[in-house]
């Protein structure tokens, strides 16, 4: 398959028809190199296919990152683990690098007051999974619940759940802000039940399980939702002072600063 055997114009047409843009871009140079260096035909084919496969994978990851709605700069590399000593960096990196938990539909639950980096941490985990070829969707929990509620009104909730099923990890940010409404509660519970032991959820919340009755109006539904989420889960408690509050304190003149105590939540508060 040398450049002299297949004129570049004809080769370009065939590669366009076969939808092989990387080979089309590199064929002339690699064929010329093959002629100069006397490559066996198999080596030339392997070189062309390796480039096509590698760039196809990069394009696929780019598409998955675009559809994920993850904030571009919220990566694990920029997360300040030293500011949240209750969270083990080794544990988080194990979640990012080992995907057995994704394969079995396990969950990650992040608790802590506003401003401690829950969204940043879970977004960084999402980016790591996208890099590894997984499909992730990041959404505010209240936005997704409203979308699902509208789908139920239009009698297309099963189709909406099927769309969400394409994602290996569904990140629900700020569950605590979902309104305590029967219609919203029921679709949220249906989502949790639908993904149970099949597809993973990552949920951030400002309140511990003991206060989730403010989200689910029915105590039995609250218990059932918590039970399904906790059954196969990693719980990360981020009980430190808000980044924003610390930054505001640091910006104040030293003589006028006041030390605010961080909001704390005990592990017992998360017990079901």
């Amino acid at each position: 398959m040398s450049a002299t055997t297949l004129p570049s114009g004809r080769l370009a047409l065939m590669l366009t028809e076969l939808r092989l843009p990387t080979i089309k871009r590199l064929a002339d140079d690699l064929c010329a190199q093959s002629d100069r260096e006397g490559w066996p035909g198999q080596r030339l084919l392997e070189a062309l296919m390796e480039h096509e496969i590698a760039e196809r994978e990069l394009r696929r990851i780019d598409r998955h990152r675009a559809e994920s709605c993850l904030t571009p700069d919220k990566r694990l590399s920029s997360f300040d683990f030293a500011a949240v000593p209750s969270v083990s960096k080794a544990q988080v990196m194990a979640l990012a690098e080992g995907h057995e938990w994704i394969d079995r539909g396990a969950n990650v639950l992040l608790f802590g007051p506003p401003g401690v980096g829950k969204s940043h941490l879970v977004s960084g985990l999402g980016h790591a999974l996208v890099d590894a070829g997984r499909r992730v969707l990041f959404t505010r929990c209240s936005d997704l619940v409203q979308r699902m509620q509208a789908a139920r009104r239009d009698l297309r909730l099963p189709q909406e759940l099927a769309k969400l099923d394409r994602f290996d990890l569904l990140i629900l940010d700020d569950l605590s802000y979902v309104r305590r409404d029967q219609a919203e509660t029921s679709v949220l519970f249906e989502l949790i039940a639908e993904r149970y032991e099949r597809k993973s959820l990552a949920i951030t919340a400002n309140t511990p399980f003991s206060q989730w009755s403010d989200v689910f109006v029915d105590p039995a539904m609250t218990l059932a939702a918590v039970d399904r989420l906790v059954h196969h889960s990693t719980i990360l408690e981020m009980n430190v002072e808000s980044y924003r509050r610390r930054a505001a304190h640091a910006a104040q003149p030293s003589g006028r600063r006041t030390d605010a105590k961080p909001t704390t939540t005990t592990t017992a508060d998360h017990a079901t």
Side-chain angles (χ1 to χ4, degrees):
M1 189 188 296
S2 68
T4 56
T5 305
L6 279 174
S8 60
R10 181 183 172 199
L11 179 59
L13 288 173
M14 289 190 291
L15 293 173
T16 298
E17 182 69 19
L18 292 172
R19 298 179 182 178
L20 298 171
T22 303
I23 292 180
K24 178 181 177 181
R25 177 167 54 83
L26 299 177
D28 284 344
D29 290 341
L30 285 176
C31 285
Q33 185 178 357
S34 173
D35 286 344
R36 289 194 309 271
E37 300 178 8
W39 290 1
Q42 182 175 339
R43 180 179 175 186
L44 174 59
L45 284 172
E46 287 176 350
L48 289 166
M49 296 304 175
E50 284 173 359
H51 283 289
E52 183 67 46
I53 290 171
E55 292 204 15
R56 186 169 291 186
E57 177 65 12
L58 288 175
R59 291 193 298 270
R60 185 171 72 90
I61 289 174
D62 287 342
R63 289 195 304 272
H64 288 178
R65 198 179 311 282
E67 75 176 358
S68 72
C69 298
L70 292 163
T71 304
D73 59 348
K74 289 186 177 180
R75 306 291 186 107
L76 290 179
S77 59
S78 60
F79 184 78
D80 185 4
F81 283 93
V84 192
S86 60
V87 171
S88 165
K89 181 177 181 179
Q91 184 181 30
V92 173
M93 298 311 295
L95 292 171
E97 296 167 4
H99 304 152
E100 179 271 339
W101 65 281
I102 288 284
D103 294 332
R104 59 187 175 88
N107 305 315
V108 177
L109 310 176
L110 300 90
F111 294 93
V116 299
K118 299 186 300 296
S119 298
H120 187 156
L121 185 57
V122 78
S123 293
L125 181 59
H127 276 296
L129 292 171
V130 170
D131 289 337
R134 301 288 187 161
R135 296 184 72 177
V136 174
L137 177 64
F138 179 99
T139 177
R140 289 184 61 185
C141 190
S142 56
D143 291 344
L144 182 62
V145 163
Q146 290 173 21
R147 170 177 149 188
M148 292 175 61
Q149 195 174 358
R152 169 170 282 174
R153 285 197 304 267
D154 296 340
L155 303 178
R156 53 180 179 81
L157 184 58
Q159 293 91 324
E160 194 67 34
L161 290 170
K163 289 180 183 178
L164 296 173
D165 213 45
R166 297 175 300 172
F167 296 100
D168 300 298
L169 178 66
L170 184 58
I171 301 174
L172 305 182
D173 197 32
D174 290 333
L175 177 137
S176 307
Y177 293 129
V178 173
R179 290 187 306 167
R180 194 171 184 267
D181 171 87
Q182 183 64 48
E184 292 195 358
T185 292
S186 61
V187 292
L188 178 57
F189 177 78
E190 191 160 344
L191 174 65
I192 292 170
E194 175 72 16
R195 293 181 72 90
Y196 176 58
E197 293 189 319
R198 294 191 316 104
K199 297 285 186 174
S200 296
L201 289 167
I203 294 177
T204 73
N206 298 336
T207 56
F209 291 137
S210 59
Q211 296 178 30
W212 278 24
S213 57
D214 294 337
V215 175
F216 296 96
V217 294
D218 180 7
M221 188 179 290
T222 304
L223 182 61
V226 171
D227 183 63
R228 283 167 172 76
L229 290 172
V230 172
H231 186 204
H232 306 291
S233 70
T234 297
I235 297 177
L236 303 176
E237 298 188 68
M238 304 173 66
N239 299 314
V240 295
E241 188 177 9
S242 160
Y243 284 141
R244 292 184 287 271
R245 188 178 300 170
R246 288 201 305 272
H249 289 172
Q252 292 179 12
S254 57
R256 298 180 59 187
R257 288 180 60 183
T258 58
D259 294 326
K261 294 182 179 180
T263 302
T264 59
T265 306
T266 65
T267 303
D269 288 331
H270 295 305
T272 57

